[in-house]
Amino acid sequence: MIVIGSGIGGLCSAALLSKLGRKVCVLEQHYTAGGFTHSYQRKGFEWDVGVHYIGEVHKPYSMMRRLFDLITDAQLQWAPMDPVYDRIKIGQRVVDFPAGRQALADSLKQHFPQEHQVIDDYLDLVVEVARSASRFFAGQAMPRPMARLWNAGRSALLPKACFQTVRDVLEGLTANQELIAVLCGQWGDYGVVPRKASFMMHATVVKHYLDGANYPVGGSWRIAQTIIPVIRSAGGEVFTYARVEGIVVERGRAVGVRMTDGTLIPARQVVSAAGARLTFEQLLPPAHRINLTSTKESSAVQPSAAHLCLYAGFKGSARSLNLPRTNLWIYPSPDIEGHIERFAADLSAPFPLLYISFPSAKDPQWDSTHPDTATVEVLTLGAWAHFAPWADKRWRKRGADYDALKASLQARLLEALFAELPQLREALVYAELSTPLSTRWFAQYPSGEIYGLDHTPARFEQQGLHPITPIKGLYLTGQDVLTAGVGGALTGGLMTTCAMLGHKAPAVLKLLKPEPTT
């Protein structure tokens, strides 16, 4: 069996099937495995590229923890972040998001004393909707005909908010736009603005972090490093620098892949963790391709947001530089959509948001492996249209005009960072900026999107985004079959494996450490 791509969804499927005795070949076009869970190094510094925090893994019997323990043979360890895992700044207002539902409610009520009932109602709804997620996505583990029947009737079984946008739900609770902006402060975790985002997606993310957040001990690269031995133990392997040019289809069935050097690798089953757009629009032979953004069924499906990321390295430890283990979300004002629209139209406009993360502070092993150094990441949006003119150019060879644009954006992001943490200015040693072209080059997402397809209510109505594709023997996994982020893509790997096994799917669930009986 072949898995295309070594993101967490592909690695999860490969490891689960390996646990069942399958021999799996994972093909990764990048120089390192892990997809958005990998880390990269420059000048003695190291940064994660996609794993900034993960919820629920500190609970031994959560599904997330049980699944990670299974596919890593419990070799992956987790460190808690600060009790305040996210800090939301809207203009001059600063609101902490501490671990624990009651603690979060108290923090919100302190800032919005006239909205006590709204805050309680909101958190009740978040928990209700998030707990209904297993029923909402149940069809993804079923055969396609059963999934269609389930999805057709699920609206009668689930809360109305599951099918609404975030802004519609919140404006149904309150007219306080500043409170709405604070409650939407984590929207960058799924990359869709409140006006368009699915409240199901939003509630799932909020609930995911409600009891606190964690970081992988040793850095995010440890995720792939601890999964790969499980794949190898069954006779499989993970190959890097192994770019798939296309999926080979004969008589309507996937029978293998063709590599960029022309090599044909046969397989009885092919699982693509490369994203729905790349899989359906580029890897399939022309006669079998599906254009996800133009077919009648999928006209509402669009790529998710692209981003800029400043990777900065500093002399001094996280402790000596007074760096927190708390993520910062910074917005100019409650007008989230307005700021994004203005920045999308003009890159010289103020940044619509800043997300600041401190990986060296989160990792308890950092000081022993990278002494007297610290790292920070600053993310914001970066509309693909501004970078598309250089899409046909190679990495590091895109020309002086592109380099000048990057230098300008990097300087602005550094100044924004120093405005928040002025002690870092004199300690800066190295800085580098990634753009949507970096994401396209290294992750192969066509428009530099980081979260696959947009997580709108319409996206979750698409029958084509199912682990079992119309091509026999070809399966889809990762965040496009479920939801964004490490947790969504990881669970997508589980869903794909169950769908592949059909009536044998209970064999996978038996492998999971059981929940305690009460």
Side-chain angles (χ1 to χ4, degrees):
M1 190 187 100
I2 288 173
V3 173
I4 304 171
S6 68
I8 188 61
L11 288 178
C12 178
S13 291
L16 290 174
L17 290 164
S18 297
K19 287 282 186 179
L20 295 173
R22 305 283 186 92
K23 185 182 292 187
V24 184
C25 170
V26 180
L27 302 172
E28 170 56 55
Q29 60 92 29
H30 200 3
Y31 61 73
T32 187
F36 284 117
T37 70
H38 85 271
S39 304
Y40 92 102
Q41 297 183 350
R42 291 278 193 277
K43 309 292 185 180
F45 297 99
E46 182 179 297
W47 299 269
D48 54 63
V49 300
V51 179
H52 302 114
Y53 57 156
I54 297 178
E56 300 187 352
V57 289
H58 58 290
K59 297 188 260 185
Y61 292 102
S62 71
M63 176 58 75
M64 194 76 62
R65 176 61 179 269
R66 288 186 289 149
L67 190 49
F68 265 122
D69 281 352
L70 174 60
I71 65 175
T72 67
D73 281 339
Q75 295 304 298
L76 183 61
Q77 303 300 311
W78 302 95
M81 289 172 54
D82 285 345
V84 174
Y85 52 89
D86 276 337
R87 179 165 292 137
I88 313 297
K89 298 183 69 175
I90 309 287
Q92 297 303 309
R93 188 185 291 275
V94 181
V95 182
D96 285 347
F97 276 38
R101 174 177 170 169
Q102 189 58 53
L104 176 58
D106 291 344
S107 178
L108 292 168
K109 290 174 182 178
Q110 180 181 357
H111 288 273
F112 301 96
Q114 305 303 316
E115 303 282 358
H116 281 211
Q117 190 59 53
V118 168
I119 291 165
D120 287 338
D121 290 346
Y122 165 75
L123 291 173
D124 285 344
L125 188 59
V126 162
V127 172
E128 179 188 10
V129 169
R131 285 178 175 169
S132 70
S134 59
R135 286 176 289 147
F136 187 91
F137 293 112
Q140 299 303 84
M142 301 176 183
R144 287 174 68 92
M146 290 179 62
R148 286 182 179 274
L149 289 174
W150 175 262
N151 292 342
R154 66 183 174 181
S155 61
L157 305 173
L158 298 168
K160 178 182 177 182
C162 291
F163 306 94
Q164 294 179 289
T165 68
V166 174
R167 187 163 290 284
D168 283 346
V169 170
L170 295 185
E171 291 186 345
L173 294 174
T174 180
N176 189 323
Q177 292 299 318
E178 191 173 15
L179 174 58
I180 288 174
V182 170
L183 298 179
C184 294
Q186 299 165 307
W187 76 268
D189 282 333
Y190 49 85
V192 190
V193 294
R195 189 173 61 218
K196 297 180 179 179
S198 160
F199 188 78
M200 164 60 76
M201 181 71 248
H202 174 83
T204 302
V205 167
V206 174
K207 174 64 168 59
H208 179 70
Y209 295 115
L210 207 53
D211 290 322
N214 311 270
Y215 189 78
V217 175
S220 62
W221 64 276
R222 285 283 298 161
I223 295 175
Q225 188 191 49
T226 53
I227 297 173
I228 291 172
V230 172
I231 298 170
R232 289 174 173 162
S233 68
E237 186 55 272
V238 177
F239 295 94
T240 55
Y241 293 107
R243 184 167 179 175
V244 173
E245 184 176 86
I247 298 166
V248 181
V249 178
E250 295 180 358
R251 297 185 181 137
R253 183 179 185 87
V255 296
V257 299
R258 182 178 63 258
M259 309 301 289
T260 52
D261 65 358
T263 301
L264 296 178
I265 304 178
R268 297 179 63 182
Q269 294 174 310
V270 177
V271 177
S272 178
R277 290 183 70 202
L278 182 63
T279 302
F280 293 146
E281 298 177 7
Q282 296 184 35
L283 293 181
L284 282 173
H288 297 281
R289 286 179 184 170
I290 303 168
N291 190 324
L292 284 175
T293 58
S294 67
T295 62
K296 181 178 179 180
E297 181 189 39
S298 302
S299 59
V301 176
Q302 298 296 325
S304 62
H307 77 300
L308 306 171
C309 185
L310 172 72
Y311 300 95
F314 301 89
K315 180 174 177 55
S317 67
R319 180 182 295 274
S320 68
L321 293 171
N322 196 29
L323 300 184
R325 290 179 295 169
T326 300
N327 305 312
L328 306 181
W329 296 89
I330 303 168
Y331 298 88
S333 80
D335 184 18
I336 293 175
E337 286 93 349
H339 285 291
I340 290 168
E341 290 169 1
R342 288 186 284 276
F343 188 68
D346 181 3
L347 277 178
S348 66
F351 292 124
L353 75 115
L354 295 172
Y355 171 79
I356 306 178
S357 175
F358 308 93
S360 59
K362 298 173 186 177
D363 179 11
Q365 290 186 352
W366 179 272
D367 287 341
S368 63
T369 55
H370 303 83
D372 200 34
T373 64
T375 53
V376 178
E377 298 161 355
V378 186
L379 286 81
T380 191
L381 296 185
W384 170 249
H386 293 297
F387 301 91
W390 296 279
D392 61 340
K393 301 294 193 300
R394 293 181 60 82
W395 179 50
R396 291 186 170 178
K397 295 182 179 180
R398 297 188 177 114
D401 50 351
Y402 174 74
D403 292 340
L405 175 61
K406 281 187 63 175
S408 172
L409 291 166
Q410 177 173 305
R412 289 175 60 196
L413 286 169
L414 278 171
E415 285 304 313
L417 172 62
F418 297 149
E420 295 296 323
L421 299 159
Q423 72 272 25
L424 294 180
R425 186 182 293 274
E426 299 303 320
L428 180 67
V429 175
Y430 181 80
E432 182 174 3
L433 182 74
S434 73
T435 75
L437 292 173
S438 310
T439 307
R440 176 183 166 105
W441 181 262
F442 290 110
Q444 298 297 302
Y445 278 115
S447 301
E449 61 270 30
I450 192 172
Y451 291 127
L453 297 170
D454 249 356
H455 291 73
T456 61
R459 171 255 173 89
F460 293 120
E461 296 295 325
Q462 307 310 313
Q463 301 294 337
L465 297 176
H466 189 275
I468 303 173
T469 77
I471 307 298
K472 292 181 180 179
L474 174 64
Y475 302 88
L476 191 68
T477 195
Q479 60 188 358
D480 283 345
V481 302
L482 206 68
T483 65
V486 173
L490 177 77
T491 310
L494 173 63
M495 291 290 198
T496 297
T497 306
C498 289
M500 291 175 68
L501 294 175
H503 69 279
K504 296 181 180 180
V508 178
L509 303 179
K510 287 181 181 179
L511 294 174
L512 292 168
K513 183 179 180 180
E515 295 186 47
T517 56
T518 57

